[in-house]
Amino acid sequence: MLMTDIYFMQQALAEAWLAFEEGEIPVGAVVVTGGQIIARAHNLTERLTDVTAHAEMQAITMAAEYLGGKYLQPCTMYITLEPCAMCAGALYWSQIGRVVYAAEDVHRGYRAMGGKLHPKTEVTSGVLATEAATLIQQFFASKRK
Amino acid sequence: MLMTDIYFMQQALAEAWLAFEEGEIPVGAVVVTGGQIIARAHNLTERLTDVTAHAEMQAITMAAEYLGGKYLQPCTMYITLEPCAMCAGALYWSQIGRVVYAAEDVHRGYRAMGGKLHPKTEVTSGVLATEAATLIQQFFASKRK
């Protein structure tokens, strides 16, 4: 595992923690290019009352705004959870260079849902997976109380 | 074909025409509930420099804001083109009651891309399909000149 991958995934996890504290399903994402974070976001579906407000969607919008172009080929997105079909579709359109995600989402992840990323997008999974999965499990356990 | 479906698809086509005039791929969408249009949008990916700014995504956000809730079960979305995998994923999360689209998108539509709508979403296709497809063909023909 690359040290830089661990570092940037920790940044995505910090975003996920912000979501947790706000009562949102704790998923975070950061976009990196040239060793620099150019976008960071966390799930805001509850606060914005909007099913489209996943961390990845916001991060794509932010990164494109930063770059001044809608394609993200030189970028890597770090996400604490496997993207859903919607987010995979958005990442597909962005032609992002690389996606690194932590925990798998066996039920609602894009692979289970039949979605796909762009064929040129490199995918790495499992970076800090336990930390990310534990956070989500804690969230749902706290909701059941 | 229901007269109301034709009427509301004409409204979605009017949105697609606005996109055409703005140099955007001409796709429009409206969301209807109780016989009333509560959201209308067209593709703005170029103007907003954002691959996520499809008509459907904006319409979902607007409709949820109007309703004050993120689920769209009582709504129908009329779209001039078969949704892509991203938009199908967003419609899935919204649990929208019904989707009516005009033209098929054989290459990038959600069926070709492996995406899916919610099992409870009723789907109707082919309403004003020729009008919608012609508009898109005209758009790409004008771009090739």
Side-chain angles (χ1 to χ4, degrees):
Chain A
M1 225 179 278
L2 294 171
M3 280 307 291
T4 50
D5 280 353
I6 295 173
Y7 173 77
F8 288 122
M9 190 60 82
Q10 282 168 338
Q11 299 295 311
L13 272 168
E15 285 292 322
W17 267 106
L18 293 176
F20 185 98
E21 288 164 7
E22 295 165 15
E24 303 276 358
I25 296 177
V27 180
V30 299
V31 178
V32 174
T33 188
Q36 187 189 355
I37 293 174
I38 63 168
R40 53 190 315 145
H42 56 271
N43 180 36
L44 286 176
T45 49
E46 296 303 321
R47 195 205 298 175
L48 299 180
T49 321
D50 186 348
V51 296
T52 74
H54 284 192
E56 301 95 312
M57 303 300 285
Q58 300 174 67
I60 289 170
T61 300
M62 281 182 215
E65 183 163 354
Y66 178 88
L67 294 172
K70 62 187 172 151
Y71 297 115
L72 307 181
Q73 290 102 333
C75 301
T76 298
M77 185 181 288
Y78 293 84
I79 321 164
T80 60
L81 184 67
E82 180 185 342
C84 74
M86 170 181 73
C87 294
L91 289 163
Y92 180 100
W93 289 124
S94 80
Q95 300 180 25
I96 196 162
R98 186 168 174 240
V99 167
V100 183
Y101 63 85
E104 290 191 342
D105 187 347
V106 290
H107 296 300
R108 301 299 182 93
Y110 74 99
R111 294 173 306 161
M113 295 289 280
K116 61 180 169 186
L117 296 170
H118 196 277
K120 288 187 182 165
T121 301
E122 184 193 334
V123 182
T124 303
S125 63
V127 177
L128 302 184
T130 306
E131 289 83 342
T134 303
L135 187 57
I136 289 173
Q137 285 156 11
Q138 281 180 1
F139 176 80
F140 285 109
S142 73
K143 288 283 169 186
R144 278 193 297 271
K145 270 178 195 159
Chain B
M1 222 180 280
L2 294 171
M3 281 306 292
T4 51
D5 280 353
I6 295 173
Y7 172 78
F8 288 123
M9 190 60 82
Q10 281 168 339
Q11 299 292 314
L13 272 168
E15 285 292 322
W17 268 106
L18 293 175
F20 185 98
E21 288 163 5
E22 294 166 15
E24 302 276 358
I25 295 176
V27 181
V30 299
V31 178
V32 174
T33 188
Q36 187 189 354
I37 294 175
I38 62 168
R40 52 190 315 145
H42 56 271
N43 180 36
L44 286 176
T45 49
E46 296 302 322
R47 196 205 297 176
L48 299 181
T49 320
D50 187 349
V51 297
T52 75
H54 283 193
E56 301 95 312
M57 304 300 285
Q58 299 173 68
I60 289 169
T61 299
M62 283 181 213
E65 183 163 353
Y66 178 89
L67 294 171
K70 62 188 172 149
Y71 297 115
L72 307 180
Q73 291 104 331
C75 301
T76 298
M77 185 181 288
Y78 293 83
I79 322 164
T80 61
L81 185 66
E82 179 186 342
C84 75
M86 169 181 72
C87 294
L91 289 163
Y92 180 100
W93 289 123
S94 80
Q95 301 180 25
I96 196 162
R98 185 168 175 240
V99 167
V100 182
Y101 63 86
E104 291 191 339
D105 187 347
V106 291
H107 296 301
R108 301 298 182 92
Y110 74 99
R111 295 173 306 161
M113 296 290 280
K116 61 180 169 187
L117 296 171
H118 196 277
K120 289 189 183 164
T121 300
E122 184 192 335
V123 182
T124 303
S125 63
V127 176
L128 302 184
T130 306
E131 289 83 343
T134 302
L135 186 58
I136 289 172
Q137 286 156 12
Q138 281 179 2
F139 177 81
F140 285 109
S142 72
K143 288 284 168 188
R144 278 193 297 269
K145 271 176 194 162

